[in-house]
């Protein structure tokens, strides 16, 4: 007897009714209301992140439109039309890949078949996936048909990049935006899958997978599939990073301790471990950025749903990090990572780049915020003014005061007058001039520095 073929988790647990869809309540409400009221648009655009359910919603909507016995807006999934759409064998619902059928001739074929009657359903429905891949000429060919299709024809467009679609097309579609699915909702779906399959995996491990999915249900199910293939024994949270080829969080917590101790040898011991798990250095920068993002959130006491899904070790690690870093240090580190993200890494000795990057992070130990630097400059300016004023006043008081001339005094001889004019300035006056000149220079430099720094701070704010 032939065994059933293996089906990927993302296909096996793909929703077949609106009620099974996770995380898109608003979109589902809109579609159900239009089904119940019969106020249907002639074209719909489903847009959002990959793996959030754009094509799935389009299929369910198509099934509901052609279903013989719909229930509260949901397809029955028992009639002939529903079964054919589920198996992708329906002649009334045609799925087209916009990436491989992107030319004007492909769209002309659609325009020619639009006028044909349906085979057995109420509507002829065209689902065009990755529609943003169509050429300009193809969009122009689709435009007129999309605006005035036959009464029994509907167009469902799906894309991850709606900004690449011409405005003339967008204006003729009802747009359905799908947001990222919340991490907690992805975790709940993964828990239900593991229970149904009777898999042994720790809840903390599922929390890590849900976070790594980053809002994509399909990504979460694919990651779970990789983990399942590793072992039939209970899979722990510590094994998840190893299975998925990612550095564990304790590596980053070790970096935090090195930052605290100013251990400049740590990068040379951590770099080989980080380098071995990242063939692409940009993925390492992503991991470091995510780590310091959570450190910043912990410092600012920002409530995040992700914190609830952290393991006990991770919660303790980020709690300790708040005593190690200041917010200015974390901002400086994130700025370094952002600048390094677009750096053109040379193919020779890439591990050196990792070591240099870690050294740069540790060098932020003494980083100061712009406001702190500005305050320091202003204090220096005030100190210099006081220092210069004191010797200048002392010199003035020590300067000899010439005796007062009486009205009867005889005028000084011309020789004395000329010698007095030619006499050099006194030493006290020279000291005052020198100090005043030095003060002016330093005062000017500090004022320029303060003004420039203040302008940069205002620009950043």
């Amino acid at each position: 007897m032939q065994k059933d073929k293996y089906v990927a988790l993302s296909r096996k647990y793909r929703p077949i009714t609106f009620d099974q869809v996770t995380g898109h309540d608003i979109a589902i409400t809109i579609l159900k209301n239009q089904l119940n009221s019969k106020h249907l648009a002639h074209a719909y655009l489903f847009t959002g992140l990959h793996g959030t359910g754009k094509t799935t919603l389009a299929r369910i909507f198509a099934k509901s439109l052609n279903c013989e016995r719909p229930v509260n807006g949901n397809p029955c999934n028992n009639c002939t039309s529903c079964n054919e759409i589920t198996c992708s064998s329906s002649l009334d619902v045609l799925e087209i890949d916009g990436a491989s059928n992107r030319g004007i001739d492909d769209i002309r074929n659609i325009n020619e078949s639009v006028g044909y009657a349906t085979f057995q359903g109420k509507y002829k429905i065209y689902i065009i996936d990755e529609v943003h891949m169509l050429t300009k000429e193809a969009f122009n060919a689709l435009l007129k048909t999309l605006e005035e299709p036959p009464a029994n024809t509907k167009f469902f467009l799906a894309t991850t990049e709606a900004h690449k679609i011409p405005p003339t097309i967008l204006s003729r579609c009802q747009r359905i935006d799908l947001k990222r699915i919340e991490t907690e909702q992805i975790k709940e779906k993964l828990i239900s899958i593991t229970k149904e399959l009777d898999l042994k995996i720790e809840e903390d491990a599922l929390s890590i997978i849900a976070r790594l999915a980053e809002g994509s249900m399909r990504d979460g199910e694919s990651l779970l599939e990789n983990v399942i293939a590793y072992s039939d024994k209970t899979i722990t949270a510590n094994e998840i990073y190893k299975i998925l080829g990612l550095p564990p969080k304790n590596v980053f917590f070790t970096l935090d301790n090195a930052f605290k101790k100013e251990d400049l040898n740590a990068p040379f011991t951590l770099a080989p471990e980080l380098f071995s798990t990242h063939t692409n250095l940009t993925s390492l920068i992503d991991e470091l950025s995510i780590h310091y993002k959570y450190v910043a959130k912990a410092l600012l006491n920002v409530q995040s749903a992700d914190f609830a899904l952290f393991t006990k070790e991770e919660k303790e690690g980020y709690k300790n990090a708040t005593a190690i870093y200041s917010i200015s240090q974390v901002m400086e580190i994130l700025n370094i990572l952002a600048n390094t993200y677009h750096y053109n890494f040379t193919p020779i000795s890439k591990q050196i780049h990792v070591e240099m990057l870690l050294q740069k992070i540790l060098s932020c130990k003494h980083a100061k915020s712009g406001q702190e630097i500005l305050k320091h400059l202003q204090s220096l300016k005030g100190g210099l003014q006081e220092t210069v004023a004191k010797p200048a006043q002392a010199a003035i008081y020590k300067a000899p005061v010439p005796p007062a001339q009486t009205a009867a005094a005889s005028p000084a001889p011309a020789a004395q007058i000329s010698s007095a004019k030619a006499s050099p300035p006194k030493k006290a006056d020279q000291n005052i001039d020198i100090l005043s000149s030095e003060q002016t220079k330093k005062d000017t430099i500090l004022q320029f520095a303060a003004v420039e720094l203040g302008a940069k701070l205002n620009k950043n704010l």
Side-chain angles (χ1 to χ4, degrees):
M1 183 177 178
Q2 186 180 0
K3 293 183 179 180
D4 294 337
K5 292 183 179 180
Y6 178 75
V7 179
L9 294 182
S10 57
R11 291 183 58 195
K12 184 176 182 180
Y13 293 96
R14 190 173 195 171
I16 58 175
T17 65
F18 286 122
D19 295 340
Q20 294 177 358
V21 176
T22 302
H24 302 305
D25 296 338
I26 295 176
I28 291 170
T29 301
I30 292 172
L31 296 177
K32 278 188 172 182
N33 287 342
Q34 292 199 350
L35 285 167
N36 294 330
S37 64
K38 305 298 181 181
H39 295 162
L40 301 171
H42 51 265
Y44 292 84
L45 175 66
F46 297 87
T47 178
L49 179 73
H50 68 275
T52 51
K54 298 181 296 296
T55 310
T56 297
L57 272 179
R59 282 185 177 181
I60 297 173
F61 194 30
K63 284 197 290 185
S64 297
L65 286 172
N66 282 342
C67 181
E68 298 173 6
R69 297 177 297 275
V71 180
N72 296 327
N74 283 299
C76 68
N77 289 303
N78 292 319
C79 65
T80 304
S81 177
C82 288
N83 292 331
E84 288 181 350
I85 296 173
T86 302
C87 300
S88 300
S89 59
S90 174
L91 298 177
D92 294 329
V93 178
L94 305 176
E95 293 191 31
I96 301 166
D97 179 21
S100 55
N101 300 278
R102 59 194 302 266
I104 188 172
D105 292 334
D106 300 304
I107 300 302
R108 280 174 178 168
N109 293 333
I110 294 176
N111 292 343
E112 291 173 0
S113 62
V114 160
Y116 297 157
T118 60
F119 182 71
Q120 65 177 10
K122 303 173 187 176
Y123 296 95
K124 181 181 284 294
I125 300 170
Y126 294 89
I127 301 176
I128 306 178
D129 198 12
E130 300 301 332
V131 69
H132 67 273
M133 297 293 288
L134 296 183
T135 64
K136 181 180 179 181
E137 294 76 13
F139 274 124
N140 290 335
L142 180 63
L143 185 59
K144 187 62 176 178
T145 303
L146 196 66
E147 183 178 16
E148 297 178 358
N152 65 336
T153 303
K154 304 293 178 186
F155 284 92
F156 297 165
L157 313 181
T159 180
T160 55
E161 301 181 57
H163 60 279
K164 292 185 178 181
I165 299 176
T168 51
I169 298 292
L170 291 175
S171 64
R172 288 162 171 81
C173 299
Q174 179 170 335
R175 181 164 172 166
I176 305 293
D177 286 279
L178 305 183
K179 62 182 181 63
R180 292 177 183 268
I181 303 173
E182 294 181 5
T183 306
E184 185 63 38
Q185 293 175 324
I186 295 176
K187 180 183 175 182
E188 290 175 1
K189 178 70 177 291
L190 298 180
I191 289 175
S192 67
I193 292 174
T194 54
K195 286 182 178 179
E196 186 172 335
L197 297 176
D198 196 22
L199 299 175
K200 300 176 182 177
I201 182 169
E202 291 183 355
E203 187 172 338
D204 283 346
L206 293 176
S207 297
I208 295 172
I209 294 174
R211 288 206 318 268
L212 293 174
E214 295 185 341
S216 172
M217 182 66 76
R218 186 172 64 229
D219 285 358
E221 291 168 343
S222 298
L223 290 172
L224 177 61
E225 202 160 18
N226 291 341
V227 171
I228 292 172
Y230 173 72
S231 174
D232 56 355
K233 298 179 180 179
T234 302
I235 298 172
T236 63
N238 292 331
E239 291 177 311
I240 292 296
Y241 292 106
K242 180 173 66 175
I243 296 170
L244 300 178
L246 297 172
K249 283 288 184 183
N250 56 24
V251 175
F252 300 127
F253 296 142
T254 303
L255 181 62
D256 294 341
N257 290 328
F259 186 92
K260 179 181 180 181
K261 300 175 183 178
E262 295 186 69
D263 183 8
L264 299 181
N265 293 324
F268 299 105
T269 56
L270 293 176
E273 183 174 357
L274 292 172
F275 182 74
S276 63
T277 55
H278 288 83
T279 55
N280 185 355
L281 293 185
T282 55
S283 62
L284 170 59
I285 297 172
D286 287 341
E287 291 293 323
L288 285 167
S289 300
I290 291 171
H291 171 68
Y292 283 106
K293 179 192 76 171
Y294 287 132
V295 173
K297 283 187 172 183
L299 281 167
L300 298 172
N301 198 23
V302 176
Q303 299 298 323
S304 175
D306 290 344
F307 283 127
L309 299 177
F310 282 158
T311 63
K312 293 180 180 179
E313 181 185 0
E314 291 170 343
K315 290 178 180 178
E316 188 66 26
Y318 285 115
K319 182 180 178 181
N320 294 335
T322 57
I324 297 174
Y325 296 96
S326 68
I327 191 61
S328 359
Q329 292 170 338
V330 175
M331 291 299 106
E332 182 63 24
I333 292 171
L334 287 171
N335 186 42
I336 290 172
L337 294 172
N339 292 333
T340 311
Y341 190 84
H342 301 287
Y343 180 73
N344 186 19
F345 296 103
T346 58
I348 301 174
S349 300
K350 287 188 177 181
Q351 184 172 327
I352 294 176
H353 293 295
V354 180
E355 294 168 351
M356 290 173 59
L357 179 60
L358 298 182
Q359 290 286 3
K360 285 182 180 179
I361 290 174
L362 295 184
S363 69
C364 294
K365 175 70 175 178
H366 303 288
K368 299 291 184 183
S369 68
Q371 294 290 352
E372 290 173 332
I373 297 172
L374 182 59
K375 186 177 180 181
H376 181 62
L377 286 172
Q378 290 172 341
S379 66
L380 285 177
K381 177 184 173 182
L384 284 171
Q385 287 176 339
E386 292 178 3
T387 305
V388 173
K390 288 180 180 178
Q393 291 174 359
I396 290 171
Y397 288 127
K398 290 180 181 179
V401 180
Q405 298 294 331
T406 62
S410 59
Q416 290 182 355
I417 295 173
S418 62
S419 64
K421 289 181 179 178
S423 62
K426 295 180 180 180
K427 189 174 181 180
D429 294 335
Q430 288 179 335
N431 290 336
I432 292 172
D433 292 340
I434 293 171
L435 289 172
S436 178
S437 177
E438 290 296 325
Q439 160 63 16
T440 303
K441 289 180 182 179
K442 293 179 180 178
D443 191 40
T444 304
I445 292 172
L446 287 173
Q447 284 181 350
F448 273 112
V451 169
E452 184 176 358
L453 183 58
K456 288 183 178 179
L457 288 172
N458 291 332
K459 183 178 180 182
N460 292 333
L461 292 174

